[in-house]
Amino acid sequence: MELSLRAGVRAGDPDAFRMLFDESAGAVYNLGFRLTANWSAAEEVVSLTFLEAWRLRDRIEPEGGSLRPWLLGIAVNVTRNLARASRRHEAAMSRLPPPPPVPDFADELAGRMDDSAQLRETMKALATLRRGERELIALCVWSGLDYAMAARALGVPVGTVRSRLSRARGKLRKLVQTDDPDDREPAVGQEQVEGGREHAARPAQEETR
Amino acid sequence: MNADDSRRGELAELARLLPVPAERELPPGRQQTLKEHLMSELRTADTAAAGKTPARRHSRKRAAALAGVLALAAVAGALVYLTRPTPRPSPATVRLLDKIAAVASRQPTLGVRDNQFWYIKSWVAYTDCGNAKCVLEKPHERQIWQSASNQCVTGLLRESGQDTRLIFGTNIPSIKCPYKGSLNDPTYRLLRSLPTDPHALLRLIYRGMQGQQPAPEEAFTTIGDLIREAIAPPRVSAALYRAAALIPGVTVVPDATDAIGRHGVAVAMTSQGIRMEWVFSKRTFQYLGEHDINVADGSTNGEAAILQRAFVDRVGQVPG
């Protein structure tokens, strides 16, 4: 099934493409959100990713497993260059019907804001990581690709994937607790207890990029 | 523990360190709309292509020729890749790093106690991707206090006057406190224990990556992080610079600037469209800061200038 889907997409068969969309649009959508912290930008990432996938279909290797890593790699590139990708597909994007207005349910609205606010917090922590480290967190930790698939998706060696993720892990190990004016000058005795650990509420902003 | 287990462990730890982001389906109606739009665009694209039939025979021949060239290029690329394409740093690059290392090794050795903290003040701006698109933050002051010996001791980050306590992640089973850190989250104590032979040091950095191929850009990034917001003993700093001189692809940029506009000479490397520059004073060869530049348009992707480094006795204490 996978093989024929791959062959079909590679050959430019619209039915295969429709199947690919049904199968992977959700994964691209969620990855787009994780990279942009914005659900409507994530929709744009979905459309642009599949338009790019169609344009690049003859670069698909004839053999291989699921096309999802390839597609998620395109989504990462699209997100990196959202402006450039939109320009390339400007005409096509102009024909996309606008999304319906946000339904006026208080819960739904609150849900949306929470999602974005929470992810923005995470992103703030992630902003201190380098771009490549951030993208691999989105691909490996949140989208479930393994190291080899992520390496293929981004076109980097597996060693690069590994080193970026261990760097990210090192940087994130220091978790950040929100500031409290009373904490400005923490008591020395309390801070110097060796082996002491404290619970943290939020992720780190410890290292840079 | 085999490699697979340790990878699963690493991803599991990362997942624990980060909150799980929201997940949702495309709204059903919207999924349908996006799909119909896509399918209709594909048809349009095909019609447009079919409309070009007069030129097609011609262009097909050209396409075949081009494909041949591309195939050759791909083979050549693969061969080059296998034989390690990136050039060794030029003699000028090696000389510069050697001079920088010599200066670093002559810095006074600090008498650092385990219960002290390093204090590093810098001026920084990094790219923030938190809100639909990536923008460069407003440049601002950043001060950090971290234990000299134990990551489990709470540190402090003060950015633009806002305080954040740096608390070590809980639930990391592989780590026991006291923890002196790793190459990716070092303390002074960890840095003091590193080899001072540049070859051994670089091997250690590469070993941390455990990939099939050594990744020069990653080694450069790791060293860049270690020389910026950290303090290493003079002999280790010198070894870090000499190790950088062994990394293929490292070059010199004759004129660069740090985040507060100080000009200097840079040691640089380009990775994925971003040139990372470590800027050094042309006069004293001391480290000034880092500048990351998007090669495509010359825009800044991140910048830092180190203003002060010292050891202090208490978190929050500013050296006099």
Side-chain angles (χ1 to χ4, degrees):
Chain A
M1 190 63 213
E2 274 304 345
L3 256 184
S4 70
L5 181 60
R6 174 175 284 260
V9 171
R10 201 164 165 262
D13 169 12
D15 285 336
F17 228 73
R18 192 175 286 123
M19 261 158 74
L20 181 68
F21 186 90
D22 287 339
E23 191 188 277
S24 296
V28 173
Y29 181 55
N30 282 296
L31 177 64
F33 177 66
R34 285 153 194 180
L35 292 170
T36 62
N38 181 308
W39 286 114
S40 57
E43 278 189 19
E44 203 182 332
V45 170
V46 171
S47 288
L48 288 168
T49 298
F50 282 92
L51 288 167
E52 278 292 275
W54 181 256
R55 188 175 73 84
L56 301 171
R57 62 188 186 274
D58 52 354
R59 294 196 203 162
I60 297 174
E61 301 277 332
E63 305 290 328
S66 163
L67 283 171
R68 189 169 292 182
W70 173 72
L71 210 53
L72 296 184
I74 293 178
V76 168
N77 276 318
V78 160
T79 312
R80 267 184 208 168
N81 303 304
L82 208 51
R84 199 188 308 162
S86 320
R87 259 199 316 281
R88 190 197 299 278
H89 299 286
E90 197 173 9
M93 292 305 280
S94 73
R95 289 188 285 267
L96 177 67
V102 179
D104 194 15
F105 296 123
D107 283 355
E108 168 74 358
L109 214 62
R112 256 168 216 237
M113 294 206 299
D114 281 351
D115 290 352
S116 302
Q118 192 219 14
L119 192 65
R120 262 196 281 281
E121 261 321 301
T122 310
M123 287 294 199
K124 211 175 151 203
L126 293 181
T128 65
L129 300 173
R130 287 166 196 272
R131 186 184 71 192
E133 295 161 4
R134 237 170 16 227
E135 289 167 353
L136 281 168
I137 286 178
L139 286 176
C140 294
V141 183
W142 292 334
S143 293
L145 297 198
D146 66 25
Y147 287 23
M149 290 193 287
R152 265 203 309 281
L154 294 182
V156 299
V158 177
T160 301
V161 172
R162 180 164 187 87
S163 67
R164 284 187 189 161
L165 284 172
S166 18
R167 229 177 13 241
R169 180 178 60 167
K171 291 172 182 181
L172 289 171
R173 268 183 184 154
K174 279 262 167 160
L175 297 198
V176 161
Q177 203 176 45
T178 357
D179 36 312
D180 180 341
D182 296 338
D183 285 342
R184 236 189 139 85
E185 294 283 331
V188 173
Q190 178 203 325
E191 296 304 321
Q192 302 273 340
V193 181
E194 287 230 323
R197 282 197 191 181
E198 293 174 76
H199 286 272
R202 292 219 194 132
Q205 206 176 358
E206 192 268 329
E207 246 297 331
T208 20
R209 215 76 30 94
Chain B
M1 190 193 255
N2 66 31
D4 269 3
D5 284 345
S6 92
R7 275 163 208 204
R8 264 196 292 279
E10 180 160 72
L11 291 181
E13 185 187 326
L14 272 165
R16 266 198 302 271
L17 292 173
L18 292 158
V20 182
E23 183 148 335
R24 59 159 78 174
E25 309 265 310
L26 273 160
R30 194 60 186 158
Q31 164 129 6
Q32 199 53 37
T33 310
L34 291 182
K35 184 160 77 171
E36 279 162 16
H37 168 254
L38 176 71
M39 298 318 291
S40 111
E41 290 305 325
L42 304 192
R43 274 193 299 277
T44 314
D46 277 358
T47 321
K52 288 180 197 153
T53 22
R56 214 156 179 205
R57 202 172 302 153
H58 199 73
S59 72
R60 193 176 293 162
K61 204 185 280 173
R62 203 185 298 156
L66 185 62
V69 170
L70 287 178
L72 274 178
V75 170
L79 286 178
V80 167
Y81 192 69
L82 289 175
T83 54
R84 302 282 251 80
T86 336
R88 287 247 144 168
S90 68
T93 309
V94 175
R95 268 200 306 280
L96 174 64
L97 277 162
D98 203 51
K99 213 178 287 177
I100 291 165
V103 167
S105 71
R106 284 198 298 271
Q107 297 300 304
T109 303
L110 303 164
V112 179
R113 291 190 310 279
D114 277 355
N115 62 358
Q116 287 187 301
F117 295 81
W118 70 34
Y119 166 76
I120 298 156
K121 180 160 90 171
S122 54
W123 187 259
V124 300
Y126 293 115
T127 299
D128 178 2
C129 293
N131 203 358
K133 61 174 195 284
C134 297
V135 289
L136 191 68
E137 300 173 306
K138 216 172 121 235
H140 58 275
E141 190 181 81
R142 174 178 164 106
Q143 294 165 282
I144 196 165
W145 289 262
Q146 287 182 284
S147 163
S149 61
N150 179 8
Q151 290 284 27
C152 304
V153 175
T154 299
L156 180 67
L157 175 67
R158 184 170 291 166
E159 277 198 282
S160 305
Q162 199 192 7
D163 281 10
T164 317
R165 296 172 68 191
L166 300 173
I167 296 177
F168 201 67
T170 48
N171 303 325
I172 305 174
S174 53
I175 290 173
K176 283 207 170 58
C177 292
Y179 173 61
K180 65 177 180 176
S182 70
L183 282 172
N184 297 318
D185 55 342
T187 58
Y188 183 78
R189 193 169 181 168
L190 183 277
L191 293 171
R192 200 173 55 192
S193 70
L194 293 178
T196 52
D197 170 61
H199 291 272
L201 183 54
L202 189 60
R203 265 201 306 279
L204 190 72
I205 290 167
Y206 277 139
R207 202 184 310 144
M209 301 173 187
Q210 289 172 27
Q212 281 95 331
Q213 304 102 337
E217 303 100 313
E218 300 306 310
F220 187 85
T221 307
T222 298
I223 296 178
D225 287 350
L226 290 175
I227 61 176
R228 191 180 57 253
E229 201 169 65
I231 306 177
R235 292 181 58 199
V236 172
S237 297
L240 285 167
Y241 292 127
R242 296 207 165 95
L246 302 171
I247 301 175
V250 174
T251 58
V252 170
V253 175
D255 189 37
T257 47
D258 73 2
I260 55 169
R262 293 182 292 197
H263 282 260
V265 58
V267 172
M269 180 147 194
T270 301
S271 167
Q272 294 208 305
I274 294 175
R275 187 170 68 243
M276 300 173 275
E277 299 179 343
W278 308 339
V279 186
F280 298 87
S281 160
K282 282 182 200 174
R283 197 168 48 78
T284 64
F285 296 101
Q286 300 231 27
Y287 180 84
L288 299 178
E290 182 171 335
H291 194 177
D292 296 344
I293 295 165
N294 296 305
V295 177
D297 59 4
S299 64
T300 294
N301 187 64
E303 55 184 357
I306 297 296
L307 304 178
Q308 194 176 13
R309 290 189 233 236
F311 281 92
V312 295
D313 292 338
R314 283 182 308 117
V315 163
Q317 183 187 349
V318 176

